[in-house]
Amino acid sequence: MGIHLDQIVPWGRSRNEYDLMFRLAARDMSGGVLDCGGGPASFTAELSACGNRAVSVDPIYVYSSTDIRARFEATAESMLSQVRATPGDWTWRYHRDPEDLLANRRAALERFLADYEHGLRSRRYIPGELPSLPFASGSFGLAVCSHLLFLYSDLLSEAFHIESLRELCRVANEVRVFPLLTLHCEPSPHVAPVRSALEAEGWTSEIVCVDYELQRGGNQMLKVSRT
Ligand SMILES: C[S@@+](CC[C@H](N)C(=O)[O-])C[C@H]1O[C@@H](n2cnc3c(N)ncnc32)[C@H](O)[C@@H]1O
């Protein structure tokens, strides 16, 4: 794995947030769901508890639950300070304020950790990373990717984005990515080149407005499916 735990902030979202970010309906789960870069989100734990086939892939799944919780606690205060220092960047509709945001992130982490050891043994949490995933072609009906692609556009190149979306399209029949903003709340420069590359390879993409916004202006996802 090319990533170390001290390079990432293991803040995860809940299933309810995923449902809103990706406009998920019950029929979207029918072919199995992959959460790519799922980290400590509780989406897969909550989905599988309801009897759905859900799998998360992330490089941090080589670490223990103790390590992941410790990293969360080590980064929580500085994350909160950054949020408080940039009030213009956030909307407080889903989360009431920065303290509520932290409480919700901690709740998602605990929900994830409660499922983690058992989920590792059940192959629900798989260590792996873009741009090359350890799954056969067409393994999932849907792949979602939250707060990784496009968000880290300064760190991850256009070529990495194209390769990663191509890989997600290989393993799933449909792919949804949220948000389309960078960490600076600016539209990602990689969205248009990714869409052009995928279209040339027979995929259709659309930008869809969703009922979730935390980063100001960040209420859109990219939806990609086979033409
Ligand atoms: C900001 S977290 C988002 C977690 C989760 N998707 C959510 O929205 O709650 C980003 C995650 O991406 C993972 N990650 C980093 N590089 C990755 C890669 N190349 N492929 C897959 N996941 C990666 C990190 O380990 C981290 O867990």
Side-chain angles (χ1 to χ4, degrees):
M1 296 290 154
I3 201 163
H4 293 282
L5 195 54
D6 60 8
Q7 295 173 300
I8 68 131
V9 176
W11 276 39
R13 289 151 192 85
S14 66
R15 177 182 177 180
N16 191 40
E17 289 179 272
Y18 270 66
D19 284 349
L20 293 170
M21 292 185 297
F22 296 113
R23 273 189 179 260
L24 294 175
R27 65 179 174 283
D28 295 324
M29 321 294 185
S30 61
V33 184
L34 174 67
D35 183 9
C36 184
S42 59
F43 177 63
T44 284
E46 294 186 65
L47 215 55
S48 55
C50 295
N52 298 288
R53 185 166 73 89
V55 173
S56 285
V57 62
D58 196 295
I60 68 164
Y61 299 151
V62 296
Y63 296 99
S64 69
S65 48
T66 308
D67 290 338
I68 294 173
R69 182 185 276 112
R71 179 65 186 155
F72 177 90
E73 295 303 342
T75 54
E77 261 318 309
S78 97
M79 283 297 287
L80 215 53
S81 304
Q82 287 173 45
V83 170
R84 289 198 197 99
T86 51
D89 285 0
W90 312 99
T91 58
W92 300 110
R93 278 198 283 277
Y94 186 91
H95 309 282
R96 285 191 308 277
D97 52 36
E99 289 68 32
D100 189 46
L101 171 66
L102 177 60
N104 292 335
R105 292 288 172 265
R106 185 168 272 126
L109 173 78
E110 292 304 332
R111 182 72 185 81
F112 158 77
L113 289 176
D115 185 51
Y116 184 50
E117 301 295 338
H118 180 252
L120 278 174
R121 288 193 298 277
S122 306
R123 308 279 298 149
R124 187 158 56 249
Y125 300 106
I126 311 253
E129 61 190 282
L130 291 169
S132 177
L133 298 175
F135 305 108
S137 300
S139 294
F140 301 94
L142 175 67
V144 296
C145 184
S146 154
H147 292 84
L148 171 60
L149 294 173
F150 301 129
L151 185 66
Y152 294 98
S153 288
D154 287 355
L155 298 174
L156 304 172
S157 68
E158 178 183 310
F160 177 88
H161 276 75
I162 291 172
E163 223 184 316
S164 295
L165 261 298
R166 190 180 284 138
E167 177 70 348
L168 287 165
C169 289
R170 181 186 69 77
V171 303
N173 299 332
E174 185 183 320
V175 177
R176 301 183 192 183
V177 184
F178 179 95
L180 306 186
L181 297 186
T182 68
L183 285 173
H184 309 293
C185 295
E186 287 158 359
S188 166
H190 301 325
V191 173
V194 161
R195 294 185 72 189
S196 301
L198 292 175
E199 267 160 43
E201 294 167 22
W203 294 86
T204 298
S205 67
E206 59 177 314
I207 291 178
V208 180
C209 286
V210 301
D211 294 326
Y212 180 90
E213 184 179 348
L214 174 58
Q215 277 183 297
R216 193 174 292 280
N219 65 342
Q220 292 183 319
M221 70 154 161
L222 182 68
K223 188 172 171 179
V224 184
S225 53
R226 181 60 79 184
T227 302

